[in-house]
């Protein structure tokens, strides 16, 4: 009998522990049905936030943003709306635990933010199709999807490389492949997206490694010396003419063509869901077809009915390039590319 009582106690304890995270939702629902004191909701939710499950934190952050909006606290509204998107990726449950009127208000508030918040789920390298890497006319493309229009600034250190307007939908940000591959190492960029008073900042670290038979480090004693050739001409045993020629090691050459793309792939372009008639951006329906045209040289497909290829988005990839040395032997150069991104603290712009 004692064993049964212990098992019942353990079961009751387990059920109680599972119910604890949802208790705050019941309390919030009660406030919505009663006083609708939003300040009380803030005071209720904030102390419990660290103890919540990750799934509940998305609901809590969206709810806190809603409450601070109604309390005319713009600073805290944006703080929690940024948490809602950037940390919890807008993964709320739909707020079904609140009464219908309150649920409709919260969802309408969040929908309003979704229509203007420039959320970027992922920034990735465009690897190509079927394992074929894509370096189109000297450009290394980065692809990402944007949920709303936003002005952008793309910088390296304190130098602004590009700026303009990205449209909602698929976008491509392009980098100079020649410059990157001939200067291996870590390249750090910053992408800023502005929507209203909110400025989101992202850091992009691009690690480039070039493995080449012509640029591998060697011990000083094994360092290749220049080759000298001497041509001498003798007449009747007397030297009448002499010349000398020096040949150095073959320099690294990747044969990446400069950007002369007829499709206007310069230096970046964006793809929007509307207005397909404009020449500076493209609709989603034509985006894949456009990229298909760009990829045709690599794919070499002859079937006119072939489906547009699936674009491969990756965080790292390797590109191989073969080049002949002075003796006519093939030497392979490999370029390894790794991309890492992270969110930086957002900024509130001053009107």
């Amino acid at each position: 009998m004692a064993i049964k009582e212990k098992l019942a106690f353990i079961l009751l304890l387990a059920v109680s522990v599972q119910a604890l995270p949802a208790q705050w939702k019941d309390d919030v629902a009660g406030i919505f049905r009663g006083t609708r004191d939003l300040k009380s909701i803030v005071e209720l939710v904030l102390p419990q936030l660290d103890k919540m499950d990750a799934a509940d934190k998305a609901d809590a952050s969206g709810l806190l943003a809603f409450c601070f909006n109604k309390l005319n606290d713009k600073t805290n509204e944006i703080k929690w709306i940024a948490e809602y998107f950037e940390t919890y990726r807008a993964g709320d449950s739909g707020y079904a635990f609140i009464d219908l009127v309150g649920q409709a208000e919260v969802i309408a508030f969040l929908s309003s933010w979704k229509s203007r918040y420039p959320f970027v789920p992922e920034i990735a390298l465009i690897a190509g199709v079927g394992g074929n890497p894509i370096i189109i006319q000297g450009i290394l493309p980065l692809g990402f999807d944007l949920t709303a229009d936003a002005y952008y600034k793309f910088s390296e250190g304190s130098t602004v490389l590009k700026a303009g307007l990205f449209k909602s939908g698929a976008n491509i940000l392009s980098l100079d492949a020649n410059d990157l591959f001939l200067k291996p190492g870590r390249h750090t960029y910053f992408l800023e997206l502005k929507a209203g008073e909110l400025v989101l900042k992202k850091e992009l670290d691009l690690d480039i490694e070039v493995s080449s038979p012509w640029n591998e480090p060697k011990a000083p004693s094994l360092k290749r010396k220049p080759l000298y050739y001497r041509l001498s001409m003798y007449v009747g045993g007397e030297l009448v003419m002499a010349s000398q020629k020096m040949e150095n090691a073959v320099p690294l050459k990747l044969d990446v063509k400069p950007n002369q793309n007829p499709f206007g792939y310069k230096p970046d372009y964006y793809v929007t869901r509307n207005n397909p008639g404009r020449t500076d951006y493209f609709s989603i329906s034509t985006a894949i077809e456009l990229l298909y045209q760009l990829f045709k040289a690599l794919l070499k497909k002859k079937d006119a009915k072939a489906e547009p290829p699936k674009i491969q988005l990756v965080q790292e990839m390797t590109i191989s390039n073969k080049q002949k040395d002075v003796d006519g032997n093939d030497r392979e150069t490999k370029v390894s590319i790794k991309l890492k991104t992270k969110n930086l603290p957002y900024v509130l712009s001053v009107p």
Side-chain angles (χ1 to χ4, degrees):
M1 187 69 179
I3 295 177
K4 290 183 178 180
E5 290 177 353
K6 288 181 179 180
L7 289 174
F9 175 76
I10 293 173
L11 180 61
L12 178 62
L13 181 62
V15 172
S16 299
V17 169
Q18 291 178 354
L20 281 176
Q23 182 60 50
W24 72 272
K25 293 184 178 181
D26 293 337
D27 295 339
V28 167
I31 296 175
F32 266 97
R33 288 194 302 268
T35 61
R36 291 181 63 87
D37 184 354
L38 300 183
K39 186 177 181 180
S40 296
I41 293 178
V42 171
E43 293 172 349
L44 169 70
V45 173
L46 276 178
Q48 301 186 55
L49 195 62
D50 292 338
K51 302 175 184 178
M52 294 181 188
D53 293 336
D56 283 346
K57 288 181 179 180
D59 283 329
S61 58
L63 185 63
L64 286 170
F66 167 79
C67 291
F68 281 119
N69 171 266
K70 296 298 182 182
L71 294 170
N72 295 316
D73 187 340
K74 194 67 176 178
T75 301
N76 276 309
E77 175 192 352
I78 291 182
K79 171 186 175 180
W80 288 105
I81 205 66
E83 283 289 309
Y84 173 75
F85 282 102
E86 302 300 326
T87 304
Y88 306 114
R89 305 176 74 86
D92 63 78
S93 65
Y95 298 95
F97 59 91
I98 306 175
D99 64 87
L100 288 176
V101 175
Q103 180 187 20
E105 290 180 6
V106 174
I107 291 178
F109 165 77
L110 293 176
S111 296
S112 174
W113 263 110
K114 287 177 181 178
S115 68
R116 66 184 192 276
Y117 190 96
F119 179 53
V120 179
E122 179 186 32
I123 300 177
L125 297 161
I126 299 180
V129 181
N132 293 316
I134 296 173
I135 301 296
I136 304 173
Q137 303 213 357
I139 286 176
L140 177 66
L142 305 179
F144 62 94
D145 193 55
L146 195 63
T147 58
D149 295 359
Y151 291 102
Y152 78 94
K153 182 170 67 175
F154 187 64
S155 309
E156 184 175 15
S158 59
T159 303
V160 177
L161 302 178
K162 305 166 188 175
L165 175 67
F166 278 140
K167 304 294 288 186
S168 170
N171 292 267
I172 293 180
L173 186 63
S174 58
L175 300 173
D176 187 332
N178 288 290
D179 186 59
L180 288 171
F181 296 168
L182 296 177
K183 297 176 183 177
R186 171 160 291 189
H187 299 259
T188 300
Y189 303 95
F190 298 95
L191 176 63
E192 297 178 49
L193 299 168
K194 186 178 187 302
E197 68 276 21
L198 180 63
V199 179
L200 301 177
K201 302 184 70 175
K202 299 180 184 296
E203 180 180 310
L204 286 69
D205 291 322
L206 204 61
D207 288 320
I208 307 290
E209 289 185 12
V210 179
S211 174
S212 170
W214 292 291
N215 72 343
E216 291 177 352
K218 299 180 181 179
S221 59
L222 300 177
K223 185 176 180 181
R224 180 177 176 178
K225 296 181 179 180
L227 299 177
Y228 292 91
Y229 300 90
R230 183 178 179 85
L231 179 64
S232 302
M233 179 179 290
Y234 291 87
V235 176
E238 295 185 6
L239 179 66
V240 296
M241 186 178 69
S243 66
Q244 181 172 286
K245 180 180 180 182
M246 180 181 70
E247 181 180 283
N248 287 309
V250 178
L252 173 64
K253 183 180 179 183
L254 295 176
D255 291 328
V256 178
K257 297 180 180 180
N259 178 28
Q260 296 176 346
N261 197 300
F263 293 96
Y265 195 77
K266 53 165 184 145
D268 50 75
Y269 68 83
Y270 53 82
V271 183
T272 183
R273 294 186 174 90
N274 301 306
N275 300 324
R278 285 181 54 178
T279 58
D280 56 347
Y281 58 83
F282 312 88
S283 69
I284 284 292
S285 62
T286 60
I288 301 300
E289 177 60 24
L290 171 64
L291 289 175
Y292 179 51
Q293 295 296 327
L294 295 174
F295 301 161
K296 279 175 67 176
L298 286 174
L299 296 173
K300 296 182 180 178
K301 288 184 177 290
K302 296 182 179 180
D303 184 2
K305 297 181 180 179
E307 292 290 330
K310 183 178 180 181
I311 301 172
Q312 298 176 9
L313 299 178
V314 298
Q315 295 301 312
E316 58 182 87
M317 66 181 184
T318 300
I319 300 169
S320 297
N321 181 69
K322 288 186 177 180
Q323 181 182 344
K324 293 187 181 297
D325 61 15
V326 292
D327 299 319
N329 300 317
D330 284 334
R331 298 296 184 93
E332 186 177 42
T333 296
K334 289 186 177 181
V335 180
S336 298
I337 310 168
K338 293 183 180 180
L339 174 66
K340 295 181 181 179
T341 61
K342 67 178 180 181
N343 295 327
L344 298 179
Y346 66 87
V347 175
L348 288 179
S349 61
V350 179

